[in-house]
């Protein structure tokens, strides 16, 4: 496993260097420059994930909306579904940003796959009545367990384990009209 992680780290580092080289190209159109920036952010997060020890979560203070904006931008470019972030007030979180990124990425992957081509996925963040923070990812797919087979069970298992490490709660419910709503509820001590 260590040799696999070593090789994976080298491959990601190489991709990061190649992206840096592209950044210096003056002829990149605006859309390509934006995609390159998103790719660099994803590569940086993956490299950080490889460097981090599992038993040492890193508690940080960060703007939740900024993180959600980045994840939604990447998923909207990589899937067939229409992925949107609902507007909302800014929330500053105090938790492990990398773990939160992994949770939201996994849930969004599942939602995009379930919504399918021409489907819709919405992401919303809000403060809860108890002072905590809630993140909701809703798709208009066929409903939990009725969508295309894939790696959703593995992704949900990862999200549940990561949510426990962050003190969050994961709920999967039917969406109000059609589809599935995945909710992450963070306690008030995760709000900065």
């Amino acid at each position: 496993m260590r040799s696999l992680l070593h090789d994976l780290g080298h491959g990601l580092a190489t991709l990061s260097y190649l992206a840096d080289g592209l950044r210096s190209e003056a002829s990149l159109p605006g859309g390509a420059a934006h995609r390159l920036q998103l790719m660099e952010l994803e590569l940086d997060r993956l490299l950080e994930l490889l460097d981090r020890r599992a038993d040492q979560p890193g508690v940080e203070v960060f703007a939740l909306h900024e993180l959600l904006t980045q994840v939604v931008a990447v998923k909207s470019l990589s899937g067939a579904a229409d992925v949107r972030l609902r507007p909302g007030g800014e929330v500053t979180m105090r938790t492990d940003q990398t773990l939160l990124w992994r949770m939201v990425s996994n849930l969004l992957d599942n939602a995009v796959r379930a919504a399918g081509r021409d489907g819709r996925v919405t992401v919303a963040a809000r403060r809860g009545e108890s002072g905590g923070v809630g993140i909701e990812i809703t798709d208009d797919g066929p409903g939990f367990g009725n969508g295309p087979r894939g790696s959703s069970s593995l992704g949900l298992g990862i999200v549940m384990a990561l949510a426990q490490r962050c003190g969050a709660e994961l709920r999967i419910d039917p969406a109000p009209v059609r589809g599935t709503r995945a909710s992450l509820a963070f306690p008030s001590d995760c709000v900065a």
Side-chain angles (χ1 to χ4, degrees), residues 12-178:
L12 289 172
T14 300
L15 289 173
S16 182
Y17 295 140
L18 290 170
D20 286 343
L22 279 175
R23 169 104 16 233
S24 65
E25 294 286 328
S27 62
L28 283 178
H34 177 68
R35 286 185 171 111
L36 178 60
Q37 180 185 20
L38 293 173
M39 185 176 75
E40 288 174 325
L41 287 169
E42 288 290 300
L43 284 168
D44 288 346
R45 289 191 193 283
L46 289 170
L47 285 167
E48 181 182 327
L49 194 58
L50 283 175
D51 288 341
R52 177 179 287 190
R53 290 184 48 179
D55 60 345
Q56 295 179 336
V59 175
E60 308 165 67
V61 175
F62 60 94
L64 178 59
H65 191 268
E66 183 179 325
L67 174 71
L68 293 177
T69 298
Q70 292 169 2
V71 176
V72 165
V74 168
K75 299 304 175 188
S76 68
L77 291 172
S78 61
D82 178 27
V83 184
R84 296 187 187 223
L85 177 61
R86 286 192 181 154
E90 186 53 66
V91 177
T92 304
M93 299 278 300
R94 181 185 13 258
T95 190
D96 189 313
Q97 185 174 187
T98 300
L99 296 185
L100 181 56
W101 167 75
R102 289 179 64 196
M103 287 185 275
V104 171
S105 290
N106 272 292
L107 292 173
L108 264 175
D109 284 343
N110 290 346
V112 166
R113 189 171 36 257
R117 185 173 280 325
D118 302 323
R120 286 190 63 108
V121 176
T122 59
V123 179
R126 60 174 170 65
R127 283 200 182 233
E129 294 174 11
S130 64
V133 173
I135 300 171
E136 291 183 352
I137 298 170
T138 306
D139 68 69
D140 65 357
F144 187 71
N146 298 320
R149 299 241 181 255
S151 58
S152 60
S153 60
L154 177 60
L156 286 177
I158 290 168
V159 173
M160 288 187 335
L162 296 176
Q164 268 188 326
R165 286 177 55 187
C166 290
E169 179 185 335
L170 171 66
R171 289 186 51 159
I172 307 292
D173 298 301
V177 176
R178 179 176 183 235

